[in-house]
Amino acid sequence: MRALPALLSLAALAALLALPAAVTSPYALHVMILLFLAVIQGESWNVLGGYTGQYSVGHAAWFGLGAYGTLMLMQFEHVAPWWGVWPAVALAVGAALVVGSITFRLRGPYFVLASIAVAEIFRLVALNWKDMTNGAEGILTSDLPPLQVAGHVVTDFATKVPFYYAGLALAVLTIAANWAVQHSKLGYCFQAIREDQDAAHSLGIALTFYKNVALAISAFFTAWAGAFYALYVGFIDPGTVLSTEVSVQFVLISIIGGIGTIGGPVVGALVLVPLSEALRANLLSDAIFKLHLADETSPTGLFLKDNLAHAHALIYGILMVVVILFMPDGVLGFARGLVARRRRAAAAAQAEGSAS
Amino acid sequence: MAVFLQSVVSGVLVGGVYALIGIGLTLIFGVMRVINFAHGELLMVGMYLTYYAFTLLGVDPFVSVLLVAPLMFLFGVLLQRAVIQRVLGALPQNQILLTIGVGLILSNAVMLVFTSDYKILSTSYSSGSVMLGGISVSQPLFFSFLITAAVTAALYAFLIKTDIGQAIRATAQDREAAQLMGVNVGRIGLLAFGLGTALAGTAGALVSPTYYIFPQVGSAFTLKAFVVVVLGGMGSIIGATVGGLVIGTVESLAASYFSSGIKEIFVYLLFLFVLLVKPSGLLGKSRM
């Protein structure tokens, strides 16, 4: 039973490693890279939100610090990104620990509120500290220098393939981190805090310490995700890396799949990324025209074509409401519930059959 | 000194509206224990209603309160019935995420329909001001403060003097006891959410002559409403009134002495400070 998921994961990994050899379409690679990014985001949020039960809606803060730190070092100090990302990530983890030491004394909704306020402070600083961050204009990267080790060019970033492998590596690392958390004493402490803080505390679990450890792991990968996003997209501004919408995305990926599980954020990413890409590529409006629900040239049709491409945030909101109302344990939890119900029904039918 | 007085006066005037936003939020929280993260978006909807009442029907924004408040009340009741009701017993986190989702739906639906362009509602008195004892008072702010004060007074009278008001307060104080006393807490919940939404809409109408109107304007107000409510104490209406005035003044002082771009940083820092030092707020009970 145990071996099957492991085998499947290995097969999936092998397929993903081989994929760029078979698929050369830049768009397909682009979607895969976005998918990896979403997996990293969801899995890193999951360490704190899923296992420890601390629903941060302020992860944009660590994402933004990773993104801004790396790009600012590159633009203004000419530090190559693969060196610059380390101080940026360290800064994010350090800031997270300071913030965590203060806000982890708060519980439930108060913690959620505090996490949003902290991220807003970071956004406002980035917006107003124009000398360092370019304010609302954001930072546009020039071309990335090729990665050299001991004078040899290992890779340049002319195609999407290096980003593909970097994203895959980061995604695998964050998944591995979740696995390690789930199967360690640390993870048991996290889950004890999630289930009942007071009971955990009375058992001698240092609440703030363990929450901070979870946050540090979470912020570490989140900041990496931010740096990866910044280098891949080549442009950041306070709205795209530090806004509440970004924070919501972290939560959404985990919630949709199912929080507190390793597969949950992967499932969430698999739902969310293709959906928003389909919207962006006008697949939804095309489908509406094909089904003759609206005429392409009518004012309504033109309106749909213009606007549905930007509707991904609307879809996020709808998904959030639907998931919380109808599948609070996420798609994975929902599917497990279905399987369990099937089995019980089958067992009941069998019992009935043998009784009669 | 003149700058100081001037800032305090305009801070108090703006703070009145913040108080109104906070009262709506605290009423919803008090009665239903639901933290409504779509509160600012409800305010935004009120702003759009006011804007279109003004441009299409020529209704003055301050008069349109009479139109906006009942419409928003109905909208709130519908929202409560359709969505919020279903998560009343759920984890607070899930309630928060649900209402964030509702907020996203509202702001993005408005963006889809009315585009993300900034709209400005300019009346004949939009930039007018009167001098009171050497201090210049902006006319729209002054009117909105008067209406806020009237609405707040009416709400107090309603909550204290009427039977329904008493039932609302009883439900907020102890849901089960109220139910045992024959209060229909389900209906009170509908009423409270409707009232809270109407107050958010009213606040939206009142700020529409002084703020840019755009689909994403709500989130800033949501967070501000929380600061107001946490400062005063979750569930306390008097607390929200005090909190609103304090936040308005802090913001106004920060804008005069530092810069208006970072005035909100001061508000959030104050928020974090209050959460840590006295999470129960100035007038509320601890809910750590």
Side-chain angles (χ1 to χ4, degrees), chain B residues 50-99:
Chain B
T50 310
Y51 177 81
Y52 283 102
F54 181 74
T55 49
L56 299 179
L57 307 173
V59 183
D60 183 274
F62 294 126
V63 178
S64 72
V65 169
L66 298 172
L67 186 81
V68 171
L71 278 177
M72 292 302 287
F73 180 86
L74 283 180
F75 184 59
V77 168
L78 280 176
L79 197 61
Q80 155 81 358
R81 255 270 148 86
V83 181
I84 312 290
Q85 192 106 45
R86 296 166 195 264
V87 292
L88 282 187
L91 283 172
Q93 286 91 326
N94 284 2
Q95 298 172 342
I96 291 175
L97 297 176
L98 180 90
T99 50

Side-chain angles (χ1 to χ4, degrees), chain A residues 45-70:
Chain A
W45 187 88
N46 195 41
V47 174
L48 182 67
Y51 294 114
T52 323
Q54 307 299 309
Y55 281 36
S56 153
V57 189
H59 260 50
W62 326 127
F63 188 77
L65 276 181
Y68 266 98
T70 309

Side-chain angles (χ1 to χ4, degrees), chain A residues 41-42 45-46 49 54-59 112 115 244-259 265 268 272 320 323-324, chain B residues 93-94 96-97 100:
Chain A
Q41 286 180 308
W45 187 88
N46 195 41
Q54 307 299 309
Y55 281 36
S56 153
V57 189
H59 260 50
V112 177
S115 70
T244 308
E245 216 171 273
V246 175
S247 297
V248 167
Q249 193 173 330
F250 277 87
V251 188
L252 199 55
I253 294 166
S254 304
I255 292 275
I256 287 181
I259 67 167
L272 216 54
M320 201 129 162
V323 166
I324 289 191
Chain B
Q93 286 91 326
N94 284 2
I96 291 175
L97 297 176
I100 288 179

